Amino acid sequence: MKSEKKLSTITLSPHLSPLTRKGCDLMAKTFSEINKKIKKGNAVVLTAEEVIKMADTEGISKVAEKVDVVTTGTFGPMCSSGAFLNFGHSDPPVKMSEVLLNDVPAYGALAAVDAYIGVPAISRTKGMDYGGAHVIEDLINGKEIKLVASSSGTNCYPGKYVETYFTLNDLNQAYLYNPRNAYQNYSCATNSSSKTLFTYMGILMPNLSNATYCSAGQLSPLLKDPYLQTIGIGTRIFLGGATGYVAWEGTQYNTKRKRTEKGIPTGSAATLALVGDLKEMSSDYLRACVMYKYGVSMFVGIGIPIPVLNEEIARTVCIKDSEIYTDIIDYSVPSLSKPVLGKVNYEELRSGTIEINGKKVPTASMSSYKKAREISHILKEWIVEKKFTLTRPVAPLPVEREFKSLKIITREEVKING
Amino acid sequence: MAKGRFVLSFPPSLVGEPLTYTLVKNYNIITNIHRAKITPEEEGRLVVEMTGELEPAIRYLEEKGVKVEPIAREILVEEEICVHCGACVGVCFSRALSLNTETFEIKFDREKCTLCEFCLKACPVNAISSKF
């Protein structure tokens, strides 16, 4: 009977949340059991790299039995990031509709002294050299930021213009809210044309002279739990050097991407919306960056703990670079759908050279594996030192979600469709 | 045979002179031009690696009015700023910049650097500068 029960775990659809599956798996653990062990100081916590080594020598079953938590990490440029700020009211109060922070426009159409500074916003005076990401980094580093805000004035907000300087400490609230982070895999970019391309994937030299990639691979959070069985809304994480939370599914979340036998999507798939207190973050793990001739972005350090709840999760946390494949995309085609030139795994990508159409092509990473590794170790330390416990998701992330493209239609077509 | 890398700066009046040709033909110098920039009304500048009997070749250049400066170290990667992403590696065709496959840190091999300065543009955090 027992073996039957165990079999049923394996045949269950991976889409079903393991949260409802306790009792099916002989080795199954729960979040609260793991948290009790963390508090007692006897939880077994390994980084994703360490658990891969353990699986190589001891096998997946031992991992399921012995390991409680696997820590992950990633540190790549994530443009869809930004921060909500509340400035407090001036006297007389001003409804801050137009907001400039060090000459970078922030979104001010919120009430009344709230603003959202988006990472890719660029300076009105310095252009791409300074943007929203730099404002956020300067804030974290305690620098004074120039605020210029204006509006037409109302009875309740009679002031029309305010100009002042503030630091992060002066703000009532400052929290990072990133609508799209922690991409579950991303395609490898190359360029078959005769012209150099300047992209968010870096400088792509002509005639397939280089290929760039941007994932922490075997360390990357969402690749270690490919069906998001343990990560959901409310999951506590490492974000920018502080604790943060998963707020929602990320924008452009996509479950339709093709997967390998191991369940790994072979291109961009799931994403996360993340939130965390900017006042606790460090520029070691949140860094402004500029992609030449593309624009401003921000390296965001993220680490997510994966509880090894059962053998299936033990298997996915042990998936290594050589088993994680991504599509090689030709960025020289200037349309939404770009040709796929092949498939490559992260072990090959990290070796420094891959082969495309029979040609040896040097590779370059856009995200820092060194930092990703560092983050996985810090998160491990936090858990081992009982500073960080795991959170059972308040709600799961979508199991089915299509990433739709924008249809361009005319007013007449609206009428026909309606 | 000696080998060295030099920055040759020459006035507009010398732009028409086939200096490199003379170096090869008359002085038996193996030249490898890394970078050349000549703008009207300005000084011309050539970054070149020369192999051969350098002394007479340099004397020739200086007599012609060319300023010859040996290159010591010019591309600087600032450890404090670098996040070791690897963006610079993709544009470095001399393979002077590489990512260590154990530590995943950026390594810079000055000997291989051809001073193309592509890495300055490719670095997302402005950690690379040039003393050129």
Side-chain angles (χ1 to χ4, degrees):
Chain A
M1 277 308 284
K2 275 183 180 173
S3 62
E4 259 184 52
K5 276 188 179 173
K6 201 177 169 197
L7 259 181
S8 69
T9 317
I10 295 158
T11 51
L12 263 177
S13 156
H15 291 310
L16 284 179
S17 166
L19 309 176
T20 59
R21 271 197 259 162
K22 168 72 174 159
C24 297
D25 191 327
L26 287 176
M27 296 187 200
K29 306 178 191 95
T30 63
F31 277 93
S32 63
E33 280 164 8
I34 292 173
N35 278 338
K36 272 180 201 158
K37 287 173 97 174
I38 292 172
K39 280 171 197 159
K40 275 188 194 163
N42 58 11
V44 177
V45 188
L46 295 182
T47 69
E49 285 183 314
E50 290 166 346
V51 83
I52 289 168
K53 274 188 197 154
M54 180 183 170
D56 280 345
T57 54
E58 297 183 45
I60 300 291
S61 298
K62 286 285 173 205
V63 169
E65 190 187 318
K66 290 183 183 171
V67 180
D68 297 304
V69 186
V70 170
T71 58
T72 63
T74 183
F75 188 83
M78 304 181 195
C79 301
S80 199
S81 302
F84 282 103
L85 312 175
N86 178 281
F87 304 105
H89 288 283
S90 54
D91 193 9
V94 177
K95 190 177 174 191
M96 299 184 188
S97 311
E98 310 272 330
V99 179
L100 286 176
L101 303 173
N102 282 355
D103 267 344
V104 180
Y107 184 75
L110 298 161
V113 289
D114 286 341
Y116 183 79
I117 177 73
V119 153
I122 58 168
S123 160
R124 291 206 174 152
T125 44
K126 292 179 184 164
M128 272 189 206
D129 289 343
Y130 189 93
H134 299 89
V135 172
I136 291 170
E137 190 180 324
D138 282 348
L139 276 170
I140 293 174
N141 288 332
K143 291 188 186 167
E144 302 271 345
I145 305 289
K146 185 181 183 185
L147 164 69
V148 176
S150 59
S151 74
S152 51
T154 66
N155 286 154
C156 45
Y157 300 108
K160 290 180 179 177
Y161 182 84
V162 64
E163 186 178 322
T164 183
Y165 290 83
F166 69 95
T167 65
L168 188 58
N169 281 337
D170 298 326
L171 296 171
N172 291 309
Q173 283 76 27
Y175 54 90
L176 203 68
Y177 188 97
N178 300 348
R180 178 160 24 108
N181 275 182
Y183 251 119
Q184 188 179 33
N185 211 349
Y186 210 84
S187 51
C188 165
T190 192
N191 169 19
S192 72
S193 78
S194 57
K195 283 182 186 155
T196 302
L197 298 175
F198 303 97
T199 75
Y200 59 81
M201 289 295 283
I203 301 175
L204 299 175
M205 305 300 270
N207 308 316
L208 302 177
S209 298
N210 66 1
T212 61
Y213 61 99
C214 193
S215 172
Q218 62 190 14
L219 269 171
S220 186
L222 302 193
L223 288 172
K224 309 272 63 186
D225 180 8
Y227 290 99
L228 307 186
Q229 299 182 85
T230 69
I231 303 165
I233 292 162
T235 298
R236 187 183 295 125
I237 61 165
F238 172 108
L239 179 62
T243 52
Y245 295 87
V246 174
W248 205 250
E249 66 182 272
T251 54
Q252 299 184 193
Y253 184 103
N254 180 9
T255 62
K256 303 287 182 191
R257 181 73 65 182
K258 269 190 195 158
R259 291 178 190 257
T260 63
E261 275 175 20
K262 300 249 176 190
I264 298 291
T266 58
S268 57
T271 64
L272 298 175
L274 303 178
V275 62
D277 193 349
L278 197 64
K279 293 192 179 194
E280 290 171 14
M281 293 186 189
S282 141
S283 58
D284 285 342
Y285 302 103
L286 204 58
R287 284 285 296 277
C289 63
V290 177
M291 294 298 166
Y292 184 67
K293 287 193 182 176
Y294 165 76
V296 176
S297 188
M298 189 155 222
F299 282 101
V300 181
I302 299 163
I304 301 184
I306 316 280
V308 185
L309 297 180
N310 54 44
E311 194 153 334
E312 195 188 317
I313 294 163
R315 179 187 68 78
T316 62
V317 291
C318 294
I319 292 174
K320 48 192 165 190
D321 275 347
S322 60
E323 300 168 314
I324 304 171
Y325 282 83
T326 192
D327 288 335
I328 304 165
I329 304 283
D330 188 353
Y331 271 57
S332 68
V333 177
S335 61
L336 187 63
S337 169
K338 295 178 169 33
V340 178
L341 302 183
K343 263 188 181 44
V344 68
N345 70 47
Y346 282 89
E347 190 179 60
E348 293 165 325
L349 285 167
R350 281 188 220 293
S351 75
T353 315
I354 58 168
E355 215 176 276
I356 307 174
N357 296 346
K359 188 185 172 185
K360 286 205 165 152
V361 179
T363 60
S365 171
M366 289 290 119
S367 83
S368 172
Y369 193 82
K370 179 186 151 78
K371 285 272 188 186
R373 181 184 275 170
E374 214 172 283
I375 289 165
S376 72
H377 281 280
I378 293 172
L379 186 54
K380 177 185 168 174
E381 228 174 82
W382 286 358
I383 298 169
V384 170
E385 289 170 3
K386 306 176 199 176
K387 291 179 195 160
F388 189 106
T389 53
L390 308 191
T391 35
R392 190 176 183 271
V394 175
L397 291 163
V399 166
E400 290 270 317
R401 183 73 84 227
E402 191 186 349
F403 173 33
K404 294 177 281 191
S405 47
L406 178 68
K407 275 182 282 187
I408 307 297
I409 57 170
T410 62
R411 188 72 205 155
E412 285 65 38
E413 285 169 310
V414 175
K415 281 175 190 160
I416 295 161
N417 292 340
Chain B
M1 274 214 299
K3 188 175 173 180
R5 284 184 300 159
F6 302 88
V7 181
L8 311 184
S9 311
F10 42 96
S13 59
L14 280 176
V15 168
E17 292 251 354
L19 294 168
T20 323
Y21 172 81
T22 312
L23 283 175
V24 177
K25 185 86 176 161
N26 298 356
Y27 294 89
N28 217 12
I29 295 288
I30 303 165
T31 60
N32 184 6
I33 297 169
H34 293 330
R35 213 148 61 105
K37 195 182 175 191
I38 301 164
T39 43
E41 307 299 315
E42 274 177 54
E43 201 182 54
R45 204 161 60 171
L46 198 67
V47 180
V48 65
E49 187 181 79
M50 298 197 285
T51 312
E53 286 283 324
L54 294 184
E55 256 182 59
I58 290 168
R59 208 176 310 129
Y60 154 74
L61 288 169
E62 284 175 343
E63 277 165 11
K64 275 278 174 190
V66 178
K67 201 166 109 191
V68 182
E69 292 166 295
I71 295 168
R73 51 185 202 125
E74 41 301 302
I75 296 294
L76 288 175
V77 184
E78 279 183 68
E79 267 296 310
E80 290 287 290
I81 304 172
C82 177
V83 295
H84 303 275
C85 60
C88 56
V89 175
V91 296
C92 184
F93 291 102
S94 63
R95 301 277 184 137
L97 287 156
S98 62
L99 200 61
N100 181 305
T101 51
E102 290 295 317
T103 62
F104 289 96
E105 285 177 0
I106 296 291
K107 279 197 318 185
F108 176 56
D109 184 346
R110 286 201 171 82
E111 286 299 303
K112 289 184 182 166
C113 178
T114 58
L115 292 169
C116 70
E117 292 193 354
F118 254 119
C119 54
L120 268 71
K121 292 170 181 160
C123 177
V125 292
N126 228 346
I128 308 178
S129 56
S130 165
K131 279 185 113 185
F132 190 62

